[in-house]
Amino acid sequence: MSSKQGGKAKPLKQPKSEKKEYDESDLANIQKKKDEEKALKELRAKAQQKGSFGGAGLKKSGKK
């Protein structure tokens, strides 16, 4: 193939999506998801501060 165009082809521009109208149940579900994600982030931050569990690491056998 003898093509003068080099490099990666640019992706086509996506059409702008229109804003969706949500009813009360959708808004409640979205808020619930945001709250769950926030709680997970907090738990991850706490887990990183505490360090690894057990502290034993990998156990090596005596065999060689």
Side-chain angles (χ1 to χ4, degrees):
M1 285 199 232
S2 61
S3 174
K4 292 184 180 181
Q5 183 180 4
K8 290 186 178 179
K10 292 184 180 179
L12 298 174
K13 290 187 178 180
Q14 297 293 326
K16 291 185 179 180
S17 60
E18 296 178 15
K19 290 189 178 183
K20 297 180 181 178
E21 294 183 15
Y22 298 109
D23 60 351
E24 292 179 14
S25 62
D26 290 337
L27 290 173
N29 288 337
I30 291 171
Q31 185 63 35
K32 185 178 178 183
K33 277 187 179 182
K34 285 183 182 179
D35 292 341
E36 288 175 356
E37 286 180 21
K38 186 176 180 182
L40 282 174
K41 283 184 181 181
E42 290 174 1
L43 287 174
R44 286 185 189 134
K46 284 183 182 180
Q48 286 178 349
Q49 289 174 354
K50 290 184 181 179
S52 63
F53 295 107
L58 297 173
K59 292 184 180 180
K60 295 185 179 181
S61 63
K63 298 179 185 177
K64 285 192 176 184

